[in-house]
Amino acid sequence: MELYGNPADEDVRLPSLPESAWVARRLTEHVVLRQWGLGPQIAEHAVLLVSELVGNAVRHTGARVFALRLQRRRGWIRVEVRDPSRGLPCLMPVHELDTSGRGLFLVDKLSDRWGVDLAPRGKTTWFEMRVSDR
């Protein structure tokens, strides 16, 4: 956290490199489990899905950097990956023997909601998951 910042407090900018998926997963796990105290299944799903969004940003946008942001509000968590490309991700049909292209399929199946918000210079791809507030 001290190297990158806390994505629950502000956008964390990461280089568009494959190893940034590892950093995004660790930051997400830390916030969801330790800071927010949510259960391991929520953390596991959030970590997997953030990895998919980051992978898409790294592989498909041509960006030098992207931003990660996590938000919590009553009953929900939201994870956002912001990049400078306006190219929209596409949910493709997945077949049993496919070896790639499952990222948004997983996001669609494991999150409660997901989408893309276009900005004048880029987009935010996000997912939301319901959580119980204690």
Side-chain angles (χ1 to χ4, degrees):
M1 283 273 195
E2 52 277 346
L3 280 177
Y4 300 99
N6 185 338
D9 295 334
E10 61 188 357
D11 283 0
V12 170
R13 294 173 53 84
L14 297 169
S16 191
L17 299 169
E19 51 270 26
S20 290
W22 181 87
V23 174
R25 287 191 299 268
R26 296 294 73 79
L27 291 170
T28 300
E29 182 178 52
H30 178 84
V31 169
V32 172
L33 276 178
R34 292 182 183 91
Q35 186 173 337
W36 292 342
L38 299 174
Q41 183 174 7
I42 294 290
E44 181 181 332
H45 286 176
V47 165
L48 173 63
L49 300 185
V50 79
S51 186
E52 298 300 337
L53 295 189
V54 167
N56 284 348
V58 169
R59 278 190 299 276
H60 302 299
T61 67
R64 285 193 240 165
V65 297
F66 65 90
L68 173 67
R69 177 78 174 173
L70 281 71
Q71 300 171 350
R72 184 171 182 195
R73 64 181 194 273
R74 186 177 174 96
W76 292 91
I77 64 168
R78 180 179 174 107
V79 176
E80 301 178 346
V81 173
R82 191 171 351 290
D83 66 68
S85 169
R86 288 181 50 86
L88 295 175
C90 184
L91 178 60
M92 303 294 288
V94 174
H95 302 9
E96 187 176 334
L97 299 177
D98 289 347
T99 57
S100 65
R102 295 176 182 260
L104 285 180
F105 175 80
L106 290 172
V107 173
D108 188 58
K109 293 302 175 197
L110 295 177
S111 69
D112 291 292
R113 297 190 289 229
W114 73 275
V116 180
D117 297 331
L118 286 175
R121 294 190 175 160
K123 69 180 174 299
T124 301
T125 307
W126 55 268
F127 67 85
E128 294 180 335
M129 298 169 61
R130 284 189 178 96
V131 297
S132 59
D133 290 317
R134 299 178 214 189

